[in-house]
Amino acid sequence: MKWLAAALLWACLGAAQATSFADIQRIKSTEGIPRWREAAERTRALRAAPPTDAAAAAWTSLDAETDPQVGKAPLDQTTGALNSADLLVNASWLRWRVLSENADARYSFAYAMDLARMRSGTNNLDNYDDEAVIFFFHAKLALTLDGMRCTDRSKAEHLQTWYGGLDRLQPLLQKAARMPLPDKSAAILEAITMEEMLGERPAMGWLCPRRSAEAPSSTAPPRYLSIDAWRKYRKDLLEQLTRNALKNL
């Protein structure tokens, strides 16, 4: 499996020279989004031609445990591998689900957890940590955006808190907290660029609790924010986060 280089796009392109929001948007559209699209295409190619029979069987089994319509997801299975071979198989499947299938935020959290456990040798202990941080930031962003579709955001807020408190994520959270501000801003820009490449996910009933009518004779309040209002919120938030990151590059 070909992983993204640890060096961040924004450092490679000399983003220190990007002095305006327009500069950042241009870099996203000409370099960042195409690169994430290529990464997504590689996941599709790998999923279509598994490297081993064991990987094919594992991925078929994980697919059978997945139903986006009701929020069914094999998250415990994909983050509980005890050996490096199974960890790689699970991480590859999660990467495909996020980049090719535009899976919900839980998959990005799970992938970040698996990446944080992956090591390629004693002389390269942080090989996957930069990408793990990027997917962690993407998970938080995706959950915020999808949760804002709900008129009752209690479940999305609970999930943000729950993932933030997981023991398995603490080393990654600590690494993100220690990152120099320009590096952290670059990772956030990568997460934003990935989200912009992926585009909107549909409203998720499992994430948005069904609201009850206040009285039997009244009409139940809406379960979801209007699509126009949500799309404006999404656009405004992605723009504001991009501007904030630009200031700290």
Side-chain angles (χ1 to χ4, degrees):
M1 176 177 184
K2 184 176 181 180
W3 303 91
L4 290 178
L8 297 172
L9 167 69
W10 308 98
C12 294
L13 294 177
Q17 299 176 5
T19 58
S20 70
F21 178 72
D23 289 335
I24 288 294
Q25 293 298 84
R26 174 182 52 78
I27 293 172
K28 282 183 188 175
S29 63
T30 61
E31 300 289 342
I33 289 175
R35 186 172 61 83
W36 282 110
R37 284 177 178 155
E38 290 174 5
E41 184 57 38
R42 289 195 295 270
T43 69
R44 285 190 285 272
L46 184 67
R47 182 65 185 86
T52 65
D53 290 343
W59 294 343
T60 298
S61 176
L62 292 172
D63 286 342
E65 295 299 316
T66 303
D67 186 349
Q69 294 297 318
V70 298
K72 182 181 179 183
L75 300 173
D76 288 341
Q77 296 96 306
T78 54
T79 57
L82 298 178
N83 62 68
S84 58
D86 289 343
L87 184 61
L88 179 59
V89 167
N90 290 341
S92 300
W93 183 84
L94 287 166
R95 184 178 178 83
W96 166 68
R97 277 283 169 184
V98 173
L99 294 183
S100 179
E101 304 299 295
N102 201 2
D104 67 75
R106 297 171 300 166
Y107 292 78
S108 288
F109 277 120
Y111 183 52
M113 280 188 263
D114 280 357
L115 282 177
R117 294 171 56 199
M118 296 177 72
R119 298 291 182 262
S120 66
T122 57
N123 296 322
N124 196 14
L125 294 180
D126 293 324
N127 194 54
Y128 301 110
D129 283 356
D130 285 339
E131 190 169 328
V133 169
I134 291 168
F135 275 83
F136 172 72
F137 286 147
H138 176 259
K140 289 172 64 67
L141 173 60
L143 186 54
T144 297
L145 293 173
D146 293 342
M148 280 302 300
R149 279 187 180 268
C150 314
T151 53
D152 179 351
R153 302 183 186 102
S154 57
K155 186 164 185 177
E157 291 167 357
H158 167 73
L159 284 174
Q160 289 278 18
T161 301
W162 185 79
Y163 275 109
L166 281 181
D167 289 343
R168 287 174 292 174
L169 271 175
Q170 295 315 300
L172 192 59
L173 269 66
Q174 293 164 12
K175 177 181 174 60
R178 293 192 302 267
M179 292 174 73
L181 194 53
D183 292 348
K184 185 174 182 179
S185 297
I188 290 170
L189 280 170
E190 282 280 17
I192 294 169
T193 304
M194 187 200 315
E195 176 64 18
E196 291 180 350
M197 182 279 289
L198 291 169
E200 299 175 6
R201 285 165 294 278
M204 302 170 194
W206 64 266
L207 185 62
C208 300
R210 188 178 298 280
R211 301 186 68 186
S212 301
E214 293 181 0
S217 61
S218 67
T219 301
R223 188 175 186 180
Y224 303 109
L225 201 68
S226 74
I227 188 66
D228 289 342
W230 176 77
R231 282 177 172 161
K232 183 179 186 306
Y233 171 85
R234 184 179 188 275
K235 177 179 180 294
D236 290 348
L237 180 61
L238 292 173
E239 178 176 330
Q240 187 57 56
L241 291 174
T242 298
R243 292 184 184 276
N244 291 345
L246 170 62
K247 290 187 292 188
N248 297 314
L249 282 176

